[in-house]
Amino acid sequence: MLRATLKSLLARKVRLVLSGLAVVLGVMFVSGAFVLTDTLARSFDTVFSDAYAETDVGVSAEPKIDVGEMEGMEVATAFPASALEQVREVPGVAEATGLAMADGARVIGSNGKVLTSVGPPQLGTNWTGESGQLELREGRGPTADSEIAVNAAVAKAAKLAVGDRVGVLTLQPKREFTVVGVFGYSNDRDSLGGTQEVAFTERVAQEVMLGQPGVFSELSVRAADGVDPADLRDDIAAALGDGYVVKTGEQLSADASAGLKEGLAFFNNILLGFAGVALFVGIFLILNTFSIIVAQRTRELALLRAIGAGRRQVIGSVLVEAVAIGLVASVLGLGAGIGVGALLAYVFGQTAGGLQLAGLGVPPAAVISSFAVGLVVTVVAAVLPAMRAARIPPVAAMQDVATPDRPLTRISVAGAVVTALGGTLMALGLSGSAGDNTLPAILGGVLLSFIGVALLTPLISRPVVGLLGRLFSWSVPGKLGRLNSGRNPRRTAITAAALMVGIALVTGVTVILDSAKSSITELAEDTIQAELVISGAQTGARPPSFDPAVLDRAAELPGVAMVAGLYGDRAVVGGEQGWITATSNVPALREIYRATPTAGTIDTLGPNQLMVDSGTARERGLSVGSTVPVQLSRGEARTYTVTGIYAESQLFGGFLVPASAAVDFAVPQPSQAYLKLAPGATVDDVMPRVETLLADSPEVSVADRADFIEQQTGQLDGLLTMIQILLALAIVIAVLGIVNTLALSVLERTRELGLLRAIGLRRGQTMRMITVEAVVISVFGALLGVAVGTGLGAAVVRALREDGITNLVLPWTEMGVFLGLAAVVGVVAAVLPAIRAARLNVLGAIAHE
């Protein structure tokens, strides 16, 4: 039986390739994700190991606010320089160096634009001289307050050379410095992991990076010969007392690497999610393939039953074929995934500023998951066809058997139950009733909803396909194609369901994001009563900012009636971490943001006073007169008194403090400003004057309200494009499913096609008949996808109403494009099967058994 199965499998190589291709693509995504994250993780392990290679013990202060890897920028807490002397007096310390280092030194390139960084920090630090790794390549280290040295990565990106004058943005507005040195690292590296570095004198570094003189953010300690770093760490911790974090160099390297791997794990989960979608679609393809194969081999399998093969042997035969396909597909998918992972790692390395990648490796998780996923998907998809094959009676070998269509009652009832269960799970997740299991409930509900709709599809396929087919019934090939697409509802439904999943996900995401854009636009237009807005695009954890002096100068411009600047930061308020906002113009709350008071006053705000929105006040149990402890990113905790409560707004919420508090923010400069014009003033007159004020703040620009809103919502367009590209893989697999179904269907109908040709159907008409069949199936799948995606998207939008997404927008244009593309997909998918059908030898086809 095994030999017969393998011979049957090898005799149909094309079928083997088409069946396994979907699994290959899905496994490629899975293995590629693991290879990518493993390569990047080992690369960053090397980076952090090098960064702390000359540090036996590191000392820092406990952060004021503990910010997670994906939550934003953690601010280094400064501590007195006297701690350096304390450490130097600890027995066993050979050398201790104070570092005034922090993220946020942005160099303005020769083109007048700020160097950006996607991922690696932009460090500003004090020059401490050359070391075992750091080496000067040109010039010298800075000795005067107007001098800096930069690493080679910055010099190349900004096109700088020794002697150039360059602007640098820090905690302070733009300051001009002279480049006196360019440094690199051992092994001819321009940077450590793509980090951009600017070295100042110690006094300037303390001032511009830490905000005050005579402080450090870190101490790097070298142990004397024979001293164990762990013992030295304990001695230093005892000498310094509470408030300090003292770790060995190995611990610092491991902690830094672990924090980064948290972000990589999130990225890995996203890739695995899209791989899951691809494999889910692949199940439909393989299920349909094996169903057709079983139908074509009815006589062959019946003959095996007649000569003694049992039902278990027949099931085993089909499953062995599935295992063989799964193994081959897993091997090919693993190989393709290694290539894709290496390519993505290279692209990431270049994007991250030239990260030197560790050698390409294939982690055990990539191999295990590839074979586990490949085998499970193919075997699961083959189970039902295998059971169907086992029910073929031996008598079928002695007669010309056509597999009859079974009633659709059971499958329709099952589909209704599964769909209802999926909808219930989604409702629980979207309503927040699932508690900590919200995400699993939503994802499980979506999965069950897709399965349920797929089970219900055969019930509606015949009438819908028949209706669609009438559009092409003006010719004989069109009529035949329509009849062929509706002759087997199950086969048509499974083929269309594969395309439905991809189209539904794209449609659902489009509905959600378009609704979000519309809601944001409406909110901004109704709430922001300002004609001009100063802002910039945020590309990393640090928001763009500008000189606070611009606010005062803009307020003095002719035609400007009012200016309000906004500052933002993470803070711990009343023991809970959240977002806090500061404004430079409290009365502007009414005039520009249309804020309305619900208690107290919102027209004034003193140094130790704050305002809160009504929703937050209700959740925290606050009222006018309540006191709240607030810990900002810098400085000590202070107690604020609630003096006003304003109506909850989606534009900004939480807590509002005066601009004087922003000195202790992570970014003590405004990130946005809103300008209300005086009566009679025009945007065209005022905007050029504001642009002049921003000459030294290249991170931001000024735009009118419409352009500002478009810039904010444009980020959603980029997200949508990325999702569409990733989901394109699922649609490609669905196209393969249509190709596979048509190709196997042509083989199944060889004699029928021969008879049609014999009675006068020409080659061109044969090709049109196959094309109509493909177009009808693909458009049917797209219609299902658009309908299901619209329903899922609308449900999510309804659930997010409380979060500000109040408008439901149906993307009619995109829906029309999806249906048009589905027709094109059908034409493309029909090319090879149609050519094969047209080339059939008429006499040979008539004689085909």
Side-chain angles (χ1 to χ4, degrees), residues 221-242:
V221 182
R222 293 291 302 274
D225 292 340
V227 176
D228 182 42
D231 293 337
L232 184 58
R233 173 200 60 196
D234 296 339
D235 292 342
I236 292 174
L240 291 175
D242 296 336

Side-chain angles (χ1 to χ4, degrees), residues 496-753:
L499 186 60
M500 172 201 72
V501 174
I503 297 292
L505 289 173
V506 173
T507 303
V509 171
T510 304
V511 168
I512 296 168
L513 294 184
D514 281 1
S515 299
K517 286 173 59 178
S518 174
S519 301
I520 293 172
T521 300
E522 183 178 283
L523 172 67
E525 289 177 345
D526 291 345
T527 307
I528 300 175
Q529 300 303 302
E531 289 79 7
L532 293 175
V533 181
I534 298 174
S535 67
Q538 186 168 344
T539 58
R542 182 187 180 90
S545 59
F546 58 94
D547 188 347
V550 170
L551 300 174
D552 296 330
R553 295 172 189 163
E556 296 172 357
L557 290 175
V560 175
M562 182 176 289
V563 177
L566 286 184
Y567 307 70
D569 193 17
R570 297 191 70 82
V572 177
V573 183
E576 295 183 27
Q577 191 174 143
W579 190 256
I580 195 166
T581 306
T583 181
S584 65
N585 190 343
V586 176
L589 289 174
R590 291 178 184 268
E591 297 293 328
I592 293 181
Y593 309 124
R594 283 190 173 180
T596 55
T598 61
T601 178
I602 63 170
D603 296 317
T604 59
L605 203 56
N608 293 313
Q609 298 176 340
L610 62 75
M611 289 185 279
V612 61
D613 71 73
S614 56
T616 305
R618 187 169 52 253
E619 292 174 5
R620 301 284 192 98
L622 300 175
S623 59
V624 174
S626 298
T627 57
V628 185
V630 177
Q631 175 61 67
L632 300 173
S633 293
R634 307 177 198 275
E636 300 302 320
R638 297 172 62 181
T639 299
Y640 284 76
T641 302
V642 177
T643 58
I645 299 175
Y646 53 89
E648 194 170 2
S649 168
Q650 295 297 332
L651 183 63
F652 65 92
F655 298 91
L656 189 74
V657 294
S660 59
V663 68
D664 288 330
F665 280 17
V667 179
Q669 298 170 5
S671 56
Q672 289 183 343
Y674 297 87
L675 284 72
K676 185 176 179 62
L677 303 187
T682 65
V683 168
D684 292 337
D685 289 337
V686 178
M687 185 182 291
R689 301 189 185 113
V690 179
E691 289 173 343
T692 302
L693 298 179
L694 297 174
D696 289 337
S697 301
E699 287 185 306
V700 298
S701 60
V702 61
D704 62 35
R705 186 175 64 174
D707 287 342
F708 167 72
I709 294 172
E710 187 175 347
Q711 290 170 6
Q712 301 304 304
T713 58
Q715 299 175 14
L716 297 178
D717 291 331
L719 176 62
L720 177 60
T721 300
M722 182 188 72
I723 293 174
Q724 287 174 337
I725 291 172
L726 291 172
L727 287 177
L729 177 64
I731 296 175
V732 168
I733 294 176
V735 174
L736 292 175
I738 299 173
V739 173
N740 204 15
T741 299
L742 292 175
L744 295 174
S745 182
V746 167
L747 290 175
E748 186 180 41
R749 304 196 320 248
T750 298
R751 190 160 186 249
E752 175 187 317
L753 291 169

Side-chain angles (χ1 to χ4, degrees), residues 170 205 239 258 335 393 491 635 735 764 779 821 840:
T170 56
R491 182 180 303 176
V735 174
V779 172
L821 287 176
L840 285 175

